[in-house]
Amino acid sequence: MFLIMHKRVPMMINEQLFSLYHSHLAGINAFYDELDAQDVTAYEGPLLAYCWEDQYLKSKYKLVVIGQETHGWYDDYMRSDENIREAMEYPKGFEMGRRYRRSPFWRYAHQFNYDLNGFDDLNFIWMNVNKFGRSPRPGRPGYGRPDQRVLDKEVEHYNILAEELAILKPDVCLFFTGPYYDNDIQRKLPDVSFQKLGDYELNQVAQLSSAHLPKHSYRTYHPGYGNFHPNEYKDMLRAILEECKR
């Protein structure tokens, strides 16, 4: 009798991400319930990751670009597997801001990816440090950081950044968050440390070290800074790029 061994096919990246999000349904439901009990509702999210796997895996450097928080996004409870699939369709349909190239975030993200990999075709991953952001309400317009209680409950119940990175296995992480989000990064990755890069001040460019991050992980200003100081900002991104390619 011959035993036929079937080679186990590895799960696709998006399947792994879905499984991760599914495993944290209890946590996010606790997040919602505790904030509801405090009548905290002016927030949106979460932003979940989506990967165009073929493009991502053929990149010379697998790049993850990490922003600050959502700026108007999924505005409903994500309490079930169906909700997870729906939430993952949002970034898929957004296509890495292809229609938003006037936005400094997407303009600089796509340019950095092109300079790093030699092509730019949905071949990097977009995430945020904070999964949830503030939603505008009467008397409190605009987006940005949510209520501190939202940030605290996210850390308590839905701190999944390290697990997402373990699935994505990037070669380069670029945090477009600026120095005022270093504490947010540290809350999500408690072992992280920040070192200067070259002659830049720590608030301008930092190299990040963590067991959860690749060797080439950097934090610099949000791309909105490039609207006011384009030459300086391009120089900082060029220094990061050169360090990535060493």
Side-chain angles (χ1 to χ4, degrees):
M1 179 181 292
F2 295 95
L3 183 64
I4 299 175
M5 301 296 291
H6 294 281
K7 185 176 181 180
R8 188 172 183 179
V9 178
M11 291 175 67
M12 303 289 280
I13 291 175
N14 287 317
E15 292 174 346
Q16 294 179 63
L17 289 169
F18 176 86
S19 294
L20 169 65
Y21 301 140
H22 168 80
S23 73
H24 285 275
L25 273 176
I28 200 168
N29 278 306
F31 168 92
Y32 292 135
D33 291 342
E34 292 178 21
L35 290 173
D36 283 352
Q38 299 177 56
D39 198 29
V40 178
T41 60
Y43 62 89
E44 295 183 354
L47 171 64
L48 303 184
Y50 182 84
C51 178
W52 281 265
E53 185 162 342
D54 289 344
Q55 292 97 311
Y56 182 66
L57 292 178
K58 75 180 181 183
S59 296
K60 183 175 181 181
Y61 302 93
K62 298 190 296 295
L63 170 66
V64 170
V65 175
I66 301 179
Q68 296 172 340
E69 69 266 308
T70 64
H71 185 76
W73 203 248
Y74 190 81
D75 190 16
D76 203 352
Y77 291 116
M78 198 185 73
R79 291 191 180 274
S80 68
D81 285 355
E82 182 181 353
N83 296 149
I84 293 172
R85 291 189 174 93
E86 184 179 274
M88 291 183 73
E89 285 294 314
Y90 272 68
K92 180 182 179 182
F94 188 63
E95 292 188 316
M96 299 294 192
R98 274 184 164 178
R99 300 176 297 279
Y100 295 87
R101 292 300 180 92
R102 293 181 64 183
S103 157
F105 184 95
W106 292 111
R107 188 168 67 251
Y108 282 105
H110 283 282
Q111 186 61 55
F112 185 87
N113 181 50
Y114 179 82
D115 292 341
L116 182 68
N117 282 306
F119 77 103
D120 179 59
D121 181 26
L122 301 175
N123 57 304
F124 64 97
I125 307 295
W126 166 48
M127 298 194 297
N128 285 325
V129 169
N130 297 321
K131 292 288 183 193
F132 298 87
R134 187 176 72 211
S135 57
R137 292 290 187 271
R140 193 183 181 188
Y143 299 98
R145 285 179 182 273
D147 187 295
Q148 185 62 43
R149 289 170 289 182
V150 176
L151 297 174
D152 291 344
K153 291 299 179 185
E154 181 185 337
V155 171
E156 181 180 354
H157 294 299
Y158 205 63
N159 186 3
I160 60 174
L161 178 60
E163 293 174 272
E164 289 175 312
L165 291 169
I167 291 170
L168 296 170
K169 298 178 175 60
D171 301 308
V172 177
C173 274
L174 180 59
F175 287 79
F176 273 153
T177 51
Y180 297 116
Y181 281 73
D182 286 356
N183 184 59
D184 298 80
I185 297 171
Q186 197 147 37
R187 295 188 78 192
K188 303 300 169 60
L189 305 173
D191 70 331
V192 74
S193 61
F194 301 81
Q195 294 88 34
K196 288 179 60 176
L197 182 68
D199 295 328
Y200 287 104
E201 296 297 326
L202 193 62
N203 66 308
Q204 295 176 306
V205 182
Q207 183 163 10
L208 281 60
S209 296
S210 164
H212 306 290
L213 291 170
K215 175 184 176 181
H216 293 293
S217 295
Y218 307 91
R219 185 269 295 138
T220 189
Y221 293 132
H222 185 278
Y225 186 87
N227 276 356
F228 302 98
H229 307 279
N231 293 332
E232 180 185 347
Y233 195 61
K234 289 175 183 177
D235 285 344
M236 287 188 279
L237 291 178
R238 191 175 300 114
I240 293 170
L241 187 69
E242 290 173 356
E243 194 68 21
C244 290
K245 293 185 174 183
R246 284 184 188 275

